[in-house]
Amino acid sequence: MNVMLRSRWWSFGFRSAIVLYFIVLIVLPILGVYAQSFSLGWPPFRAAVTDPLAWKSVLLTIRLALIATVINVLVGTMVGWVLIRYRFFGRRILNSLVDLPFALPTAVGGLMILLLLGPGSAVGEAAERLGFQIVFHEPAIVIAMLFVTFPFVIRAVQPLLEEMDKSEEEAAYTLGASKAKTFVQVIFPTILPGIVSGAMLAFARALAEFGAVVLVAGNIPGKTLIASVYIFGEVESDNPQGAAAVSIVLLTLSFLILWSVNVIQSRRGRA
């Protein structure tokens, strides 16, 4: 009896510690941001969110994050397909490199982009000769977002490809279906939930990126100033309410995305 009682108390204490850790690390900071944004009332919050520079930075971030997400969906799906379906020399090394953006500090990623594509690099000079620039303009922001979000779609698609029954493909080929038709009608519906969830996570991650972007964006207000850098500037300008107001716009959008991902995954689990 004493053993059972101690076991229950231990289990209760363990669960309580986990809940407390979650509350202190996640819930309280989020509530603090919402409280800070509305600390001066609704009119200052609305003024902060509708400020032209703030609104332009949010719209620019969403637009460039969408571009990066679309590219990630296309390239990430192809990379996941190649890494699962083909065997070649160096495959394991490439597969391990997919997770490099997770381990590498994002500021280092931004520095690499700056060195490889900046004005003094061979690529940067070639781009200038063609009449456009990469670094300190929108293309650099998209590249930085692509770098930090690269693994999401790949890692979401790979398990579905591994679990897929190849007999369905073979049956489609036996019935005379082409490779393109087999992919569209057999393979694509299977990996679609992974593509969608990976794309949503990549989009949410791109919205919040700061370290890689701040080094290559140029941070020109109204042109290349994204939301995360704008928030940092408001904090540096001693305007925490304005920074918090823009923050909860991104935070709320991220919540909606994560909720959608959970819904998709739960439906896939019931299927």
Side-chain angles (χ1 to χ4, degrees), residues 208-226:
E209 179 50 33
F210 175 81
V213 171
V214 70
L215 296 178
V216 299
N219 307 320
I220 302 173
K223 294 184 178 180
T224 60
L225 182 66
I226 66 168

Side-chain angles (χ1 to χ4, degrees), residues 66-227:
L66 283 173
I67 294 174
T69 301
V70 171
I71 297 174
N72 256 328
V73 166
L74 297 176
V75 177
T77 302
M78 289 188 289
V79 171
W81 175 271
V82 170
L83 291 176
I84 293 298
R85 290 301 181 92
Y86 295 94
R87 297 294 181 268
F88 52 90
F89 177 76
R91 171 181 163 273
R92 291 185 177 180
I93 297 176
L94 291 177
N95 190 49
S96 63
L97 289 177
V98 169
D99 294 323
L100 183 62
F102 287 152
L104 196 67
T106 55
V108 176
L111 180 60
M112 290 192 302
I113 296 171
L114 184 63
L115 295 176
L116 292 174
L117 305 178
S121 66
V123 177
E125 291 177 353
E128 288 182 358
R129 286 195 294 268
L130 293 174
F132 66 94
Q133 293 180 329
I134 300 175
V135 174
F136 308 132
H137 292 77
E138 291 185 5
I141 301 175
V142 174
I143 293 172
M145 290 179 173
L146 283 172
F147 176 79
V148 298
T149 60
F150 180 68
F152 286 103
V153 174
I154 299 173
R155 293 312 189 208
V157 167
Q158 282 182 320
L160 299 180
L161 288 172
E162 289 177 339
E163 296 172 1
M164 190 172 64
D165 188 0
K166 292 186 178 180
S167 63
E168 297 180 4
E169 294 179 61
E170 295 172 356
Y173 295 141
T174 302
L175 294 174
S178 63
K179 290 186 176 181
K181 189 174 183 180
T182 301
F183 178 83
V184 172
Q185 295 186 355
V186 178
I187 301 174
F188 183 72
T190 302
I191 64 175
L192 180 59
I195 294 175
V196 173
S197 61
M200 288 181 173
L201 291 174
F203 178 70
R205 179 69 183 84
L207 285 179
E209 179 50 33
F210 175 81
V213 171
V214 70
L215 296 178
V216 299
N219 307 320
I220 302 173
K223 294 184 178 180
T224 60
L225 182 66
I226 66 168

